[in-house]
Amino acid sequence: MSLRCRRPSSRVSCVFLALCMFINSLPGLVLAAVVTLDSIKIYKTHEWLDNKPTVYFKCQGENKKILPDVKEKNTTYVFKGEESWQPLTEFLGTKCKRCGLYEEDTFNSDDVFDEWEFCPGDFADNDGKYIRKTKKEFDATFLCPKCKSGRTESDTHVGRKGMHVAIIVLISLLASIVTAIVLMAAYKYWQKKKRQQDQARFLKLFEDGDEIEDELGLGTVI
């Protein structure tokens, strides 16, 4: 997309618009707030046969995270957050995700323990912990240390860093614009003075010519 700013009065607005687009497109500024599974306990399985269930966590648009240790009902599994399948997901900003806990089904579509809107704000009131309880299905505790404030720490960092970058870019742009305006004004003023001097010299030549004619008596023709 290109910006067209033909009138001088619209140039400042275009500068601010370009600045916003530049800040939004900066790569690598958004830092992830990772979510890990601290503990889980399932109360039932959905397999008809006496098979060990394959339980997994999945957020919409992301890959499933299979929980390989979760096989028995009514057993509490505690994790360190360093397992090979951790973290479960990541939050970028304050936007929620549609996530759930599922069990693979051998013959039909996978069974659902529960699905819910998973948000960074869920961790705000419990020191970075979120406990999800679904009656007769499962209890689970999730950890997100960077989500304590309801607004992720990464958001705060991104906000500050983005503000610093924006200020620097804005000052640079404004300095460039002011410099260009001053140089243009100075150039136009120089052109105007030069024209005035040229006109003055041209008129002086005529005046000098008239004086010479008067001295030689060529001003009157008989």
Side-chain angles (χ1 to χ4, degrees):
M1 184 177 65
S2 60
L3 296 175
R4 296 183 180 179
C5 306
R6 295 179 179 177
R7 295 188 304 172
S9 60
S10 67
R11 289 176 183 171
V12 175
S13 299
C14 289
V15 168
F16 281 103
L17 179 59
L19 175 63
C20 294
M21 294 171 61
F22 173 74
I23 294 300
N24 289 333
S25 64
L26 282 177
L29 282 181
V30 179
L31 303 178
V34 298
V35 179
T36 58
L37 181 63
D38 183 57
S39 64
I40 190 170
K41 180 179 181 180
I42 59 174
Y43 294 104
K44 61 184 293 187
T45 61
H46 303 87
E47 285 284 353
W48 290 0
L49 302 176
D50 190 21
N51 293 332
K52 298 296 182 182
T54 300
V55 180
Y56 66 91
F57 176 92
K58 186 177 186 298
C59 290
Q60 210 168 56
E62 299 180 7
N63 296 328
K64 64 173 67 174
K65 295 298 181 75
I66 296 176
L67 314 180
D69 301 314
V70 181
K71 299 296 183 182
E72 302 292 339
K73 297 181 292 183
N74 301 311
T75 300
T76 300
Y77 296 90
V78 180
F79 306 102
K80 298 179 180 179
E82 301 172 351
E83 291 77 15
S84 60
W85 45 269
Q86 300 260 36
L88 293 180
T89 187
E90 299 176 345
F91 287 120
L92 301 178
T94 56
K95 190 174 182 180
C96 300
K97 298 182 176 185
R98 187 69 181 174
C99 303
L101 191 69
Y102 308 90
E103 180 184 338
E104 289 186 352
D105 193 296
T106 306
F107 303 104
N108 301 313
S109 58
D110 292 350
D111 299 297
V112 181
F113 285 99
D114 192 15
E115 288 180 335
W116 69 95
E117 288 292 314
F118 203 22
C119 306
D122 295 335
F123 300 85
D125 300 327
N126 199 19
D127 196 30
K129 286 186 178 181
Y130 171 59
I131 300 173
R132 182 78 184 180
K133 293 185 177 182
T134 301
K135 190 176 181 181
K136 297 182 179 180
E137 292 287 349
F138 75 94
D139 295 344
T141 301
F142 302 91
L143 297 180
C144 182
K146 293 184 179 180
C147 301
K148 292 179 185 178
S149 63
R151 198 181 165 205
T152 63
E153 291 179 6
S154 61
D155 272 349
T156 304
H157 178 77
V158 169
R160 290 174 181 171
K161 188 171 182 180
M163 182 64 70
H164 292 163
V165 173
I167 292 173
I168 293 172
V169 174
L170 179 60
I171 291 174
S172 301
L173 288 174
L174 290 178
S176 300
I177 292 173
V178 170
T179 302
I181 292 174
V182 170
L183 290 176
M184 182 64 69
Y187 178 71
K188 288 185 176 180
Y189 178 75
W190 176 79
Q191 281 187 320
K192 182 179 178 182
K193 293 295 290 182
K194 189 174 183 300
R195 281 197 301 268
Q196 290 175 348
Q197 290 173 356
D198 290 343
Q199 289 174 357
R201 275 197 295 269
F202 187 69
L203 292 173
K204 193 172 186 308
L205 286 174
F206 274 102
E207 292 174 356
D208 292 344
D210 291 339
E211 290 177 359
I212 293 172
E213 288 179 356
D214 291 339
E215 291 178 358
L216 297 176
L218 300 176
T220 58
V221 179
I222 301 175

